[in-house]
Amino acid sequence: MKEGKDIDKLFKDGLGNPDLPFNDLDWDNLEERLHPKPKRRVVPVVWLAAVAGIAAMLLIVFLLVKPLDNQPDANKVVKTDKGEKNNPKPENNASKATETPLKQNDGMVNKDSAVVTTNEAGRSHLVEKNILTDTDAPKLAFVEPANTNLLANKVYQPALSTAIDPVTFKDQNLIASVAIGKPQPFKEPVLKKKPRLVLSILAAPDLTSVQKSGTSNLSGGFGVEATYILSKKLSVTTGATYAKKIYDSDFSLYRPNTNYVFKIIPSNIHANCDVIDIPLNVNYKVFGNSRNAISVSTGLSSYLMLKEKYSYSYDGAYQGPQEYEVRGRNQHYLGIANIGVEFQHKINNNLSISAKPFMKIPLTDIGYGNSRLSSTGVAVSVNMNLFGKGN
């Protein structure tokens, strides 16, 4: 019983002082549920737009398309034939004016109340006549000139003519001369081209050696050349180059034209020669465009030996003559063959640069020692076009 009394007390205390939260919005929501308001039916916007579009289309059709009842009465031009074809005498047109009441939807329509008249030449004209009677009804006054037929309810079909009216040229004297004999052929004007001359400044390092010696020495030269352009592909080059020819050779390949006899035979010869090289080459262009060109060249060179200095080396302790020098005693005209390939790059119409690998092959013995002297190198040049534009 005690436990039961405790439970009763617990419920009594809890319900006697309840701590419940109060919110006015909850009572408002409860009132809306108890007394709901009737909902209004909302018409979709799409239906309203469709109805407005249909109404606009009906209004446009009503304004643009007029009913047939509002059109004015069509005026008819009535053909009246009085038999004037058989009457040769012309009569007064005013006396033949007849009045014809207007009818609707019959024949040709004339809204401006016009009358068709025909002149003597048979050409039609429209003459406007509005005649008002006592009944205020418009009528047509049809004028019938003599010897004419009025056309109504007929389609005019003009006759087509192929006759050509000649055009008259006023105040023009046109005279045609007849050519006698064979016409002379047209000769194109011949333009004389200025000769093209290209000036080149070059430097040509090379390796010089005596054939069968097996050793080569670095040599080189610099000079000036001139190239004369014969055609788009063919040209001729000449000039002068100061060159150093330095080489080493075995004494067995040294064969001077002298009666001197060495007591002790040298083992080696060292030569240092100053040479003027005068080439005469023919060039042929195998490829060319606006900027680059490739040419092959061949020809002959002349060596003018300015100074030749020979040094001798010995193997043993005994030493013989050490040096021998020759000046201006040997000239070899067209004694060296030239072969080369030139690669040219054009900078502008008057300036270009080129690189030319070359070989010089001796056709005769060169110098005081009668050695077979050959050279292989690359000539680098700057070319200036003196006359005319580049091809």
Side-chain angles (χ1 to χ4, degrees):
M1 293 298 295
K2 184 177 182 180
E3 292 179 358
K5 292 181 180 179
D6 293 338
I7 292 173
D8 294 338
K9 184 179 181 181
L10 178 62
F11 279 100
K12 181 178 180 181
D13 295 339
L15 296 176
N17 298 315
D19 188 8
L20 299 175
F22 177 76
N23 192 354
D24 294 337
L25 295 178
D26 296 336
W27 291 102
D28 294 337
N29 293 332
L30 181 60
E31 184 178 1
E32 290 180 359
R33 291 182 180 182
L34 294 176
H35 304 284
K37 296 181 180 180
K39 295 183 179 180
R40 296 182 180 179
R41 187 176 183 181
V42 179
V43 180
V45 180
V46 177
W47 291 102
L48 294 177
V51 173
I54 295 172
M57 292 177 62
L58 293 176
L59 181 61
I60 293 172
V61 171
F62 178 76
L63 293 177
L64 294 180
V65 180
K66 296 181 181 180
L68 296 177
D69 296 338
N70 295 332
Q71 294 183 355
D73 294 337
N75 297 329
K76 173 186 174 184
V77 177
V78 182
K79 176 182 176 182
T80 57
D81 191 359
K82 297 293 183 180
E84 286 80 359
K85 293 182 180 180
N86 297 327
N87 188 7
K89 296 181 181 181
E91 295 181 0
N92 190 3
N93 295 331
S95 61
K96 291 292 182 177
T98 59
E99 296 180 0
T100 305
L102 296 177
K103 294 182 180 180
Q104 185 176 356
N105 297 330
D106 187 10
M108 185 182 296
V109 177
N110 188 351
K111 297 180 181 181
D112 295 332
S113 301
V115 176
V116 179
T117 62
T118 306
N119 54 15
E120 294 178 358
R123 297 180 179 179
S124 298
H125 300 280
L126 293 178
V127 180
E128 294 182 357
K129 296 289 184 177
N130 285 327
I131 301 175
L132 297 178
T133 58
D134 295 338
T135 60
D136 294 336
K139 295 182 179 181
L140 289 177
F142 194 84
V143 179
E144 296 181 356
N147 299 327
T148 59
N149 291 326
L150 298 179
L151 300 179
N153 298 328
K154 292 184 179 181
V155 178
Y156 175 67
Q157 297 180 352
L160 299 178
S161 176
T162 59
I164 301 174
D165 295 334
V167 180
T168 58
F169 297 92
K170 184 180 180 182
D171 299 334
Q172 292 189 12
N173 296 324
L174 302 178
I175 301 174
S177 60
V178 180
I180 301 174
K182 295 182 179 180
Q184 296 182 355
F186 175 75
K187 296 182 179 180
E188 297 181 356
V190 178
L191 300 178
K192 294 183 178 180
K193 295 183 179 180
K194 294 182 179 180
R196 286 189 51 208
L197 187 64
V198 179
L199 183 65
S200 302
I201 300 175
L202 61 90
D206 62 49
L207 295 175
T208 302
S209 64
V210 176
Q211 291 181 355
K212 299 180 181 180
S213 66
T215 59
S216 300
N217 292 81
L218 181 62
S219 302
F222 60 91
V224 177
E225 289 183 346
T227 301
Y228 183 79
I229 307 297
L230 299 177
S231 64
K232 290 184 177 181
K233 292 185 176 294
L234 197 62
S235 61
V236 178
T237 300
T238 187
T241 303
Y242 175 79
K244 276 279 190 180
K245 298 300 179 180
I246 302 173
Y247 61 91
D248 291 316
S249 172
D250 191 82
F251 187 78
S252 62
L253 301 175
Y254 178 75
R255 299 181 296 271
N257 295 325
T258 181
N259 294 326
Y260 179 79
V261 178
F262 286 87
K263 295 181 180 180
I264 302 298
I265 303 300
S267 60
N268 191 40
I269 299 296
H270 177 77
N272 188 346
C273 304
D274 296 342
V275 181
I276 296 295
D277 181 3
I278 302 175
L280 181 60
N281 297 327
V282 177
N283 313 304
Y284 183 79
K285 184 186 294 185
V286 296
F287 170 78
N289 54 26
S290 61
R291 286 294 181 184
N292 302 306
I294 300 176
S295 302
V296 295
S297 65
T298 184
L300 300 174
S301 283
S302 299
Y303 276 180
L304 305 181
M305 311 299 289
L306 299 179
K307 184 179 71 170
E308 303 171 59
K309 184 178 179 180
Y310 300 95
S311 300
Y312 307 103
S313 299
Y314 299 90
D315 291 337
Y318 178 78
Q319 301 291 325
Q322 300 294 316
E323 295 180 353
Y324 186 75
E325 184 174 326
V326 178
R327 290 180 179 269
R329 288 173 54 180
N330 300 292
Q331 288 80 32
H332 308 282
Y333 298 102
L334 304 178
I336 296 90
N338 300 321
I339 299 174
V341 179
E342 182 179 13
F343 301 90
Q344 186 177 16
H345 176 72
K346 183 185 294 184
I347 299 175
N348 54 40
N349 288 333
N350 296 320
L351 189 64
S352 64
I353 58 175
S354 61
K356 181 180 179 181
F358 66 88
M359 290 183 62
K360 291 183 176 292
I361 304 171
L363 302 178
T364 184
D365 296 334
I366 304 299
Y368 173 77
N370 293 321
S371 301
R372 307 291 289 186
L373 194 64
S374 63
S375 300
T376 303
V378 177
V380 180
S381 63
V382 177
N383 313 309
M384 293 171 288
N385 190 10
L386 300 182
F387 303 103
K389 293 183 178 180
N391 292 333

